[in-house]
Coordinates of all heavy atoms in Angstrom, one line a residue:
T1 N 76.1 -14.0 29.4 CA 76.3 -15.3 28.9 C 75.4 -15.5 27.6 O 74.3 -15.1 27.7 CB 75.9 -16.4 29.9 OG1 76.6 -16.1 31.1 CG2 76.1 -17.8 29.4
E2 N 76.0 -16.0 26.6 CA 75.2 -16.3 25.4 C 74.9 -17.7 25.3 O 75.7 -18.6 25.6 CB 76.0 -15.8 24.2 CG 76.1 -14.3 24.0 CD 76.7 -13.9 22.7 OE1 77.1 -14.7 22.0 OE2 76.7 -12.7 22.5
I3 N 73.7 -18.0 24.9 CA 73.2 -19.4 24.8 C 73.0 -19.6 23.3 O 72.3 -18.8 22.7 CB 71.9 -19.7 25.5 CG1 72.1 -19.4 27.0 CG2 71.4 -21.1 25.3 CD1 70.9 -19.4 27.8
Y4 N 73.6 -20.6 22.7 CA 73.4 -20.8 21.3 C 72.5 -22.0 21.0 O 72.7 -23.1 21.7 CB 74.8 -21.0 20.6 CG 75.5 -19.7 20.5 CD1 76.4 -19.4 21.5 CD2 75.4 -18.9 19.4 CE1 77.1 -18.2 21.4 CE2 76.0 -17.7 19.3 CZ 76.9 -17.3 20.4 OH 77.6 -16.1 20.3
T5 N 71.6 -21.9 20.1 CA 70.7 -23.0 19.7 C 70.9 -23.1 18.2 O 71.5 -22.2 17.6 CB 69.3 -22.7 20.1 OG1 68.9 -21.5 19.4 CG2 69.1 -22.5 21.6
L6 N 70.3 -24.1 17.6 CA 70.3 -24.2 16.2 C 68.9 -24.1 15.7 O 67.9 -24.6 16.4 CB 70.8 -25.6 15.8 CG 72.3 -25.8 16.0 CD1 72.7 -27.2 15.6 CD2 73.2 -24.8 15.3
S7 N 68.7 -23.4 14.6 CA 67.3 -23.2 14.1 C 66.9 -24.6 13.6 O 67.7 -25.5 13.4 CB 67.4 -22.2 12.9 OG 68.1 -22.8 11.8
L8 N 65.6 -24.7 13.4 CA 65.0 -26.0 13.0 C 65.3 -26.4 11.6 O 65.3 -27.6 11.3 CB 63.5 -26.0 13.3 CG 63.1 -25.8 14.8 CD1 61.6 -25.7 14.9 CD2 63.6 -26.9 15.7
H9 N 65.5 -25.4 10.7 CA 65.6 -25.8 9.3 C 66.9 -25.5 8.7 O 67.4 -26.2 7.8 CB 64.5 -25.0 8.5 CG 63.1 -25.4 8.9 ND1 62.6 -26.6 8.6 CD2 62.2 -24.7 9.7 CE1 61.4 -26.7 9.1 NE2 61.1 -25.6 9.8
D10 N 67.6 -24.4 9.0 CA 68.8 -24.0 8.3 C 70.1 -24.0 9.1 O 71.1 -23.6 8.7 CB 68.6 -22.6 7.6 CG 68.1 -21.6 8.6 OD1 68.1 -21.8 9.8 OD2 67.6 -20.5 8.2
A11 N 70.0 -24.5 10.4 CA 71.2 -24.7 11.2 C 72.0 -23.4 11.4 O 73.3 -23.5 11.4 CB 72.0 -25.9 10.7
L12 N 71.4 -22.3 11.4 CA 72.1 -21.0 11.7 C 72.1 -20.8 13.2 O 71.1 -21.0 13.9 CB 71.4 -19.8 11.0 CG 71.5 -19.9 9.5 CD1 70.6 -18.7 8.9 CD2 72.9 -19.7 9.0
P13 N 73.2 -20.2 13.8 CA 73.2 -20.0 15.2 C 72.3 -18.9 15.6 O 72.1 -17.9 14.9 CB 74.6 -19.7 15.5 CG 75.2 -19.2 14.2 CD 74.4 -19.9 13.1
I14 N 71.6 -19.1 16.8 CA 70.7 -18.1 17.4 C 71.3 -17.8 18.8 O 71.6 -18.7 19.5 CB 69.3 -18.6 17.5 CG1 68.7 -19.0 16.2 CG2 68.4 -17.6 18.3 CD1 68.5 -17.9 15.3
S15 N 71.5 -16.5 19.1 CA 72.0 -16.2 20.5 C 70.8 -15.6 21.3 O 69.9 -15.0 20.7 CB 73.2 -15.3 20.4 OG 72.9 -14.1 19.9
Q16 N 70.9 -15.7 22.6 CA 69.9 -15.1 23.5 C 70.8 -14.3 24.4 O 71.1 -14.7 25.5 CB 69.2 -16.2 24.2 CG 68.1 -15.6 25.1 CD 67.4 -16.7 25.9 OE1 67.7 -17.8 25.9 NE2 66.3 -16.2 26.6
P17 N 71.1 -13.0 24.0 CA 71.9 -12.2 24.8 C 71.2 -11.6 26.1 O 71.9 -11.1 27.0 CB 72.3 -11.0 23.9 CG 71.2 -11.0 22.9 CD 70.7 -12.4 22.8
A18 N 69.9 -11.6 26.2 CA 69.2 -11.1 27.3 C 67.9 -11.8 27.5 O 67.3 -12.4 26.6 CB 68.9 -9.6 27.1
Q19 N 67.4 -11.7 28.8 CA 66.1 -12.3 29.1 C 65.6 -11.7 30.4 O 66.4 -11.4 31.3 CB 66.3 -13.8 29.3 CG 65.0 -14.5 29.8 CD 65.2 -16.0 29.9 OE1 65.2 -16.7 28.8 NE2 65.4 -16.5 31.1
K20 N 64.3 -11.4 30.4 CA 63.7 -10.9 31.6 C 62.7 -12.0 32.1 O 62.1 -12.6 31.3 CB 62.9 -9.6 31.3 CG 63.8 -8.4 30.9 CD 62.9 -7.2 30.5 CE 63.8 -6.1 30.0 NZ 63.0 -5.0 29.5
A21 N 62.6 -12.1 33.4 CA 61.7 -13.1 33.9 C 61.0 -12.6 35.2 O 61.6 -11.8 36.0 CB 62.5 -14.4 34.3
F22 N 59.8 -13.0 35.4 CA 59.0 -12.6 36.5 C 58.3 -13.9 37.0 O 57.6 -14.6 36.3 CB 57.9 -11.6 36.2 CG 57.1 -11.1 37.3 CD1 57.6 -10.4 38.3 CD2 55.7 -11.5 37.3 CE1 56.8 -9.9 39.4 CE2 54.9 -11.0 38.4 CZ 55.5 -10.3 39.4
I23 N 58.6 -14.3 38.3 CA 58.1 -15.6 38.8 C 57.3 -15.3 40.1 O 57.8 -14.5 40.9 CB 59.3 -16.5 39.2 CG1 60.1 -16.8 37.9 CG2 58.8 -17.8 39.8 CD1 61.4 -17.5 38.2
T24 N 56.1 -15.9 40.2 CA 55.3 -15.7 41.4 C 54.9 -17.1 41.9 O 54.9 -18.1 41.1 CB 54.0 -14.9 41.1 OG1 53.3 -15.6 40.0 CG2 54.3 -13.5 40.6
W25 N 54.5 -17.1 43.2 CA 54.1 -18.4 43.8 C 52.8 -18.1 44.6 O 52.8 -17.2 45.4 CB 55.2 -19.0 44.7 CG 54.7 -20.1 45.5 CD1 54.5 -20.1 46.9 CD2 54.4 -21.4 45.1 NE1 54.0 -21.4 47.3 CE2 54.0 -22.2 46.2 CE3 54.5 -22.1 43.8 CZ2 53.6 -23.5 46.1 CZ3 54.1 -23.4 43.7 CH2 53.7 -24.1 44.9
D26 N 51.8 -18.8 44.3 CA 50.5 -18.7 45.0 C 50.4 -19.9 46.0 O 50.2 -21.1 45.5 CB 49.3 -18.7 44.1 CG 48.0 -18.6 44.8 OD1 47.9 -18.9 46.0 OD2 47.0 -18.2 44.1
P27 N 50.7 -19.8 47.3 CA 50.7 -20.9 48.2 C 49.4 -21.6 48.4 O 49.3 -22.8 48.6 CB 51.3 -20.3 49.5 CG 51.1 -18.8 49.4 CD 51.1 -18.5 47.9
A28 N 48.3 -20.8 48.3 CA 47.0 -21.4 48.4 C 46.7 -22.3 47.3 O 46.1 -23.4 47.5 CB 45.9 -20.3 48.5
E29 N 47.0 -21.9 46.1 CA 46.7 -22.8 44.9 C 47.9 -23.7 44.6 O 47.8 -24.6 43.7 CB 46.4 -21.9 43.7 CG 45.2 -21.1 43.8 CD 43.9 -21.9 43.8 OE1 43.9 -22.9 43.0 OE2 43.0 -21.5 44.5
K30 N 49.0 -23.5 45.3 CA 50.3 -24.2 45.0 C 50.6 -24.1 43.5 O 50.8 -25.1 42.8 CB 50.2 -25.7 45.4 CG 50.0 -25.8 46.9 CD 50.1 -27.2 47.3 CE 50.0 -27.2 48.9 NZ 50.1 -28.6 49.4
L31 N 50.6 -22.8 43.0 CA 50.7 -22.5 41.6 C 51.9 -21.6 41.4 O 51.9 -20.5 42.0 CB 49.4 -22.0 41.0 CG 49.4 -21.6 39.6 CD1 49.5 -22.8 38.7 CD2 48.2 -20.8 39.2
E32 N 52.8 -22.0 40.5 CA 53.9 -21.1 40.2 C 53.6 -20.5 38.8 O 53.3 -21.2 37.9 CB 55.2 -21.8 40.1 CG 56.4 -21.0 39.8 CD 57.7 -21.8 39.7 OE1 57.8 -22.7 39.0 OE2 58.6 -21.4 40.5
S33 N 53.8 -19.2 38.7 CA 53.7 -18.5 37.4 C 55.0 -18.0 36.9 O 55.8 -17.4 37.7 CB 52.7 -17.3 37.5 OG 51.4 -17.8 37.8
F34 N 55.3 -18.2 35.7 CA 56.6 -17.9 35.1 C 56.4 -17.1 33.8 O 55.8 -17.6 32.9 CB 57.4 -19.2 34.8 CG 58.7 -19.0 34.1 CD1 59.8 -18.4 34.7 CD2 58.9 -19.4 32.8 CE1 61.0 -18.3 34.1 CE2 60.1 -19.3 32.1 CZ 61.2 -18.7 32.8
T35 N 56.7 -15.8 33.9 CA 56.6 -14.9 32.7 C 58.0 -14.6 32.2 O 58.8 -14.2 33.0 CB 55.8 -13.7 33.1 OG1 54.6 -14.0 33.6 CG2 55.6 -12.8 31.8
V36 N 58.2 -14.9 30.9 CA 59.6 -14.7 30.4 C 59.5 -13.8 29.1 O 58.6 -14.0 28.3 CB 60.3 -16.0 30.2 CG1 59.6 -16.8 29.1 CG2 61.8 -15.8 29.8
Q37 N 60.5 -12.9 29.0 CA 60.7 -12.1 27.8 C 62.1 -12.3 27.3 O 63.0 -11.6 27.7 CB 60.3 -10.7 28.0 CG 60.4 -9.8 26.8 CD 60.2 -8.4 27.1 OE1 60.8 -7.8 27.9 NE2 59.2 -7.8 26.4
P38 N 62.3 -13.3 26.4 CA 63.7 -13.5 25.9 C 64.0 -12.5 24.7 O 63.1 -12.1 24.1 CB 63.7 -14.9 25.4 CG 62.3 -15.2 25.0 CD 61.4 -14.3 26.0
K39 N 65.2 -12.3 24.5 CA 65.7 -11.5 23.4 C 66.6 -12.4 22.6 O 67.6 -13.0 23.1 CB 66.5 -10.3 23.8 CG 67.0 -9.5 22.6 CD 67.8 -8.3 23.1 CE 68.4 -7.5 21.9 NZ 69.2 -6.4 22.3
F40 N 66.2 -12.6 21.3 CA 67.0 -13.5 20.4 C 67.6 -12.7 19.3 O 67.1 -11.7 18.9 CB 66.1 -14.5 19.8 CG 65.5 -15.5 20.8 CD1 64.1 -15.4 21.1 CD2 66.2 -16.5 21.4 CE1 63.5 -16.2 22.0 CE2 65.6 -17.3 22.3 CZ 64.3 -17.2 22.6
E41 N 68.8 -13.1 18.9 CA 69.5 -12.5 17.8 C 70.0 -13.6 16.9 O 70.4 -14.6 17.3 CB 70.7 -11.6 18.3 CG 70.3 -10.4 19.1 CD 71.5 -9.6 19.6 OE1 72.6 -10.1 19.5 OE2 71.2 -8.5 20.1
G42 N 70.0 -13.3 15.6 CA 70.5 -14.3 14.6 C 69.7 -14.2 13.3 O 68.8 -13.4 13.2
N43 N 70.1 -15.0 12.4 CA 69.5 -15.0 11.0 C 68.5 -16.1 10.7 O 68.1 -16.2 9.6 CB 70.6 -14.9 10.0 CG 71.4 -13.7 10.1 OD1 70.9 -12.6 10.3 ND2 72.7 -13.8 9.9
A44 N 68.3 -17.0 11.6 CA 67.3 -18.1 11.4 C 65.9 -17.6 11.2 O 65.5 -16.6 11.8 CB 67.4 -19.1 12.5
Q45 N 65.2 -18.2 10.3 CA 63.8 -17.8 10.0 C 62.9 -18.3 11.1 O 61.9 -17.7 11.4 CB 63.4 -18.2 8.6 CG 64.1 -17.5 7.6 CD 63.6 -17.8 6.2 OE1 62.9 -18.8 6.0 NE2 64.1 -17.1 5.2
D46 N 63.1 -19.5 11.6 CA 62.3 -20.0 12.7 C 63.2 -21.0 13.5 O 64.1 -21.6 13.1 CB 61.0 -20.7 12.2 CG 61.3 -21.9 11.3 OD1 62.4 -22.2 11.0 OD2 60.3 -22.5 10.8
F47 N 62.8 -21.1 14.8 CA 63.6 -21.9 15.7 C 62.7 -22.2 16.9 O 61.6 -21.6 17.1 CB 64.9 -21.3 16.1 CG 64.7 -19.9 16.8 CD1 64.7 -19.8 18.2 CD2 64.6 -18.8 16.0 CE1 64.5 -18.6 18.7 CE2 64.4 -17.6 16.6 CZ 64.4 -17.5 18.0
G48 N 63.1 -23.0 17.8 CA 62.3 -23.3 19.0 C 63.1 -23.0 20.3 O 64.3 -22.9 20.3
M49 N 62.3 -22.7 21.4 CA 62.9 -22.5 22.7 C 62.3 -23.5 23.6 O 61.1 -23.7 23.7 CB 62.6 -21.1 23.2 CG 63.1 -20.7 24.5 SD 62.7 -19.0 25.0 CE 62.9 -19.1 26.7
V50 N 63.1 -24.2 24.4 CA 62.7 -25.3 25.3 C 62.8 -24.8 26.7 O 63.9 -24.3 27.1 CB 63.5 -26.6 25.1 CG1 63.1 -27.6 26.1 CG2 63.4 -27.1 23.6
V51 N 61.7 -24.8 27.5 CA 61.7 -24.5 28.9 C 61.2 -25.7 29.6 O 60.1 -26.1 29.5 CB 60.8 -23.3 29.2 CG1 60.8 -23.0 30.7 CG2 61.2 -22.1 28.4
P52 N 62.1 -26.4 30.4 CA 61.7 -27.6 31.1 C 60.8 -27.3 32.2 O 61.0 -26.3 33.0 CB 63.1 -28.1 31.7 CG 64.1 -27.2 31.2 CD 63.5 -26.1 30.5
T53 N 59.7 -28.0 32.4 CA 58.7 -27.9 33.5 C 58.4 -29.2 34.0 O 58.6 -30.2 33.4 CB 57.4 -27.2 32.9 OG1 56.9 -28.1 31.9 CG2 57.7 -25.8 32.3
P54 N 58.0 -29.3 35.3 CA 57.7 -30.5 35.9 C 56.5 -31.2 35.4 O 56.3 -32.4 35.6 CB 57.6 -30.2 37.4 CG 57.2 -28.8 37.4 CD 57.9 -28.1 36.2
G55 N 55.6 -30.5 34.7 CA 54.4 -31.1 34.2 C 54.0 -30.2 33.0 O 54.7 -29.3 32.6
R56 N 52.8 -30.6 32.4 CA 52.4 -29.8 31.2 C 51.9 -28.4 31.7 O 51.0 -28.3 32.5 CB 51.2 -30.6 30.6 CG 50.7 -29.9 29.3 CD 49.6 -30.7 28.7 NE 49.7 -30.4 27.3 CZ 49.3 -31.2 26.3 NH1 48.8 -32.4 26.7 NH2 49.5 -30.9 25.1
P57 N 52.5 -27.4 31.1 CA 52.2 -26.0 31.6 C 50.9 -25.5 30.9 O 50.6 -25.9 29.8 CB 53.4 -25.2 31.1 CG 53.9 -25.9 29.9 CD 53.7 -27.4 30.2
K58 N 50.3 -24.5 31.5 CA 49.2 -23.8 30.9 C 49.8 -22.5 30.4 O 50.4 -21.8 31.1 CB 48.1 -23.5 32.0 CG 46.9 -22.7 31.4 CD 45.9 -22.4 32.5 CE 44.8 -21.5 31.9 NZ 45.0 -20.1 32.1
L59 N 49.7 -22.3 29.1 CA 50.3 -21.2 28.4 C 49.3 -20.0 28.2 O 48.2 -20.3 27.7 CB 50.9 -21.6 27.1 CG 52.0 -22.7 27.2 CD1 52.4 -23.0 25.8 CD2 53.1 -22.2 28.0
D60 N 49.7 -18.8 28.5 CA 48.9 -17.6 28.3 C 49.8 -16.6 27.7 O 51.0 -16.5 28.0 CB 48.3 -17.1 29.6 CG 47.2 -18.0 30.1 OD1 46.3 -18.4 29.4 OD2 47.2 -18.3 31.3
E61 N 49.2 -15.7 26.8 CA 50.0 -14.6 26.3 C 49.9 -13.4 27.2 O 48.8 -13.1 27.7 CB 49.5 -14.3 24.9 CG 50.4 -13.3 24.2 CD 50.0 -13.1 22.7 OE1 49.5 -14.1 22.1 OE2 50.2 -12.1 22.2
M62 N 51.0 -12.7 27.5 CA 51.0 -11.6 28.3 C 50.9 -10.3 27.5 O 51.3 -10.3 26.3 CB 52.2 -11.5 29.2 CG 52.3 -12.7 30.2 SD 51.0 -12.6 31.4 CE 51.4 -11.2 32.4
P63 N 50.4 -9.2 28.0 CA 50.4 -7.9 27.3 C 51.9 -7.6 26.9 O 52.8 -7.8 27.6 CB 49.9 -6.9 28.3 CG 49.1 -7.7 29.3 CD 49.8 -9.0 29.4
R64 N 52.0 -7.0 25.7 CA 53.4 -6.6 25.2 C 54.1 -5.7 26.2 O 55.3 -5.8 26.3 CB 53.2 -5.9 23.9 CG 54.5 -5.6 23.2 CD 54.4 -5.0 21.9 NE 54.5 -5.8 20.7 CZ 55.4 -6.7 20.4 NH1 56.3 -7.0 21.2 NH2 55.5 -7.3 19.2
D65 N 53.4 -4.8 26.9 CA 54.1 -3.9 27.8 C 54.2 -4.4 29.2 O 54.5 -3.6 30.1 CB 53.4 -2.5 27.8 CG 53.5 -1.8 26.5 OD1 54.5 -2.1 25.7 OD2 52.7 -0.9 26.2
F66 N 54.0 -5.7 29.5 CA 54.1 -6.2 30.9 C 55.3 -5.8 31.6 O 55.3 -5.3 32.7 CB 53.9 -7.7 30.8 CG 54.1 -8.4 32.2 CD1 53.0 -8.3 33.1 CD2 55.3 -8.9 32.6 CE1 53.2 -8.9 34.4 CE2 55.4 -9.5 33.8 CZ 54.3 -9.5 34.7
F67 N 56.5 -6.0 31.0 CA 57.8 -5.8 31.7 C 58.0 -4.3 31.8 O 58.6 -3.8 32.8 CB 58.9 -6.5 31.1 CG 59.0 -7.9 31.4 CD1 58.5 -8.9 30.6 CD2 59.5 -8.4 32.7 CE1 58.5 -10.2 30.9 CE2 59.5 -9.7 33.0 CZ 59.0 -10.6 32.1
K68 N 57.6 -3.5 30.9 CA 57.7 -2.0 31.0 C 56.9 -1.5 32.1 O 57.3 -0.7 32.9 CB 57.2 -1.4 29.7 CG 57.3 0.1 29.6 CD 56.9 0.7 28.3 CE 56.9 2.2 28.3 NZ 56.3 2.7 27.0
E69 N 55.6 -2.0 32.3 CA 54.7 -1.6 33.4 C 55.3 -2.1 34.7 O 55.2 -1.3 35.7 CB 53.3 -2.0 33.1 CG 52.7 -1.3 31.9 CD 51.3 -1.9 31.6 OE1 50.8 -2.7 32.3 OE2 50.8 -1.5 30.5
L70 N 55.8 -3.3 34.7 CA 56.4 -3.8 36.0 C 57.6 -2.9 36.4 O 57.8 -2.6 37.6 CB 56.9 -5.2 35.8 CG 57.5 -5.9 37.0 CD1 56.5 -6.0 38.1 CD2 58.0 -7.3 36.6
A71 N 58.4 -2.5 35.4 CA 59.6 -1.6 35.8 C 59.1 -0.3 36.3 O 59.6 0.2 37.3 CB 60.4 -1.4 34.5
V72 N 58.1 0.3 35.7 CA 57.6 1.6 36.2 C 57.0 1.4 37.6 O 57.3 2.2 38.5 CB 56.5 2.2 35.3 CG1 55.7 3.3 35.9 CG2 57.1 2.6 34.0
F73 N 56.2 0.3 37.9 CA 55.7 0.1 39.2 C 56.7 -0.1 40.2 O 56.7 0.5 41.3 CB 54.8 -1.2 39.1 CG 54.3 -1.6 40.5 CD1 53.2 -1.0 41.0 CD2 54.8 -2.6 41.2 CE1 52.7 -1.3 42.3 CE2 54.4 -3.0 42.4 CZ 53.3 -2.4 43.0
T74 N 57.8 -0.8 39.9 CA 58.9 -1.1 40.9 C 59.7 0.2 41.2 O 60.1 0.4 42.3 CB 59.8 -2.2 40.5 OG1 60.3 -2.0 39.2 CG2 59.0 -3.5 40.5
I75 N 59.9 1.0 40.2 CA 60.6 2.3 40.4 C 59.7 3.2 41.3 O 60.3 3.8 42.2 CB 60.9 3.0 39.0 CG1 62.0 2.2 38.3 CG2 61.3 4.4 39.3 CD1 62.1 2.7 36.9
L76 N 58.4 3.3 41.0 CA 57.6 4.1 41.9 C 57.5 3.6 43.3 O 57.4 4.4 44.2 CB 56.2 4.2 41.2 CG 56.1 5.0 39.9 CD1 54.7 4.9 39.3 CD2 56.5 6.4 40.0
K77 N 57.5 2.3 43.4 CA 57.4 1.7 44.8 C 58.6 2.0 45.6 O 58.5 2.1 46.9 CB 57.2 0.2 44.6 CG 56.8 -0.6 45.8 CD 55.3 -0.4 46.0 CE 54.8 -1.3 47.0 NZ 53.5 -1.0 47.5
K78 N 59.8 2.2 45.0 CA 61.0 2.5 45.8 C 61.0 3.9 46.4 O 61.7 4.1 47.3 CB 62.2 2.3 44.9 CG 62.5 0.9 44.6 CD 63.7 0.8 43.7 CE 64.0 -0.7 43.3 NZ 65.2 -0.7 42.4
R79 N 60.2 4.8 45.8 CA 60.2 6.2 46.3 C 59.5 6.4 47.6 O 58.7 5.8 48.1 CB 59.6 7.1 45.2 CG 60.5 7.1 44.0 CD 60.0 8.1 43.0 NE 60.9 8.1 41.9 CZ 60.7 8.8 40.8 NH1 59.7 9.6 40.7 NH2 61.6 8.8 39.9

C-alpha cells in the first residue's frame, strides 16, 4: 500500500512504499515504545510525517543499524 502526502513547500507527492516498526510494552512502567523506520520516495525537498499519539511523546534517536541488528538477532534466535 502506498501512502501519499504532500510536501510542505512544493506540493510534490511523496510515497511511503515500506516501513519497519518495533513496538514494546513495559507493564511495570506502563510505557509503550515505538521505533519506526519509514522509507520515503519522491522529489520533495522537505515534508512532514504525522504519527498520532495519545499524549506528548518522548523522542529519542535510535542507532542507524537498529533494524539490521534486530533482524540478525531474530534469525539467530530461530536456530
Side-chain angles (χ1 to χ4, degrees):
T1 303
E2 290 187 353
I3 300 169
Y4 288 90
T5 61
L6 294 179
S7 69
L8 299 176
H9 299 288
D10 50 15
L12 294 173
I14 301 295
S15 66
Q16 184 183 5
Q19 176 174 284
K20 296 176 185 176
F22 181 70
I23 302 170
T24 60
W25 171 252
D26 181 341
E29 296 290 325
K30 296 186 178 181
L31 178 68
E32 181 180 59
S33 296
F34 174 71
T35 304
V36 63
Q37 183 183 53
K39 177 182 178 183
F40 297 105
E41 294 178 350
N43 294 321
Q45 292 182 349
D46 59 0
F47 59 94
M49 178 177 164
V50 176
V51 177
T53 61
R56 185 177 209 154
K58 179 180 177 268
L59 301 177
D60 291 311
E61 191 170 331
M62 295 297 289
R64 186 178 260 312
D65 291 338
F66 175 79
F67 283 100
K68 180 180 176 182
E69 292 173 10
L70 182 63
V72 169
F73 175 78
T74 56
I75 289 169
L76 294 175
K77 195 76 169 168
K78 289 181 182 180
R79 293 182 178 180

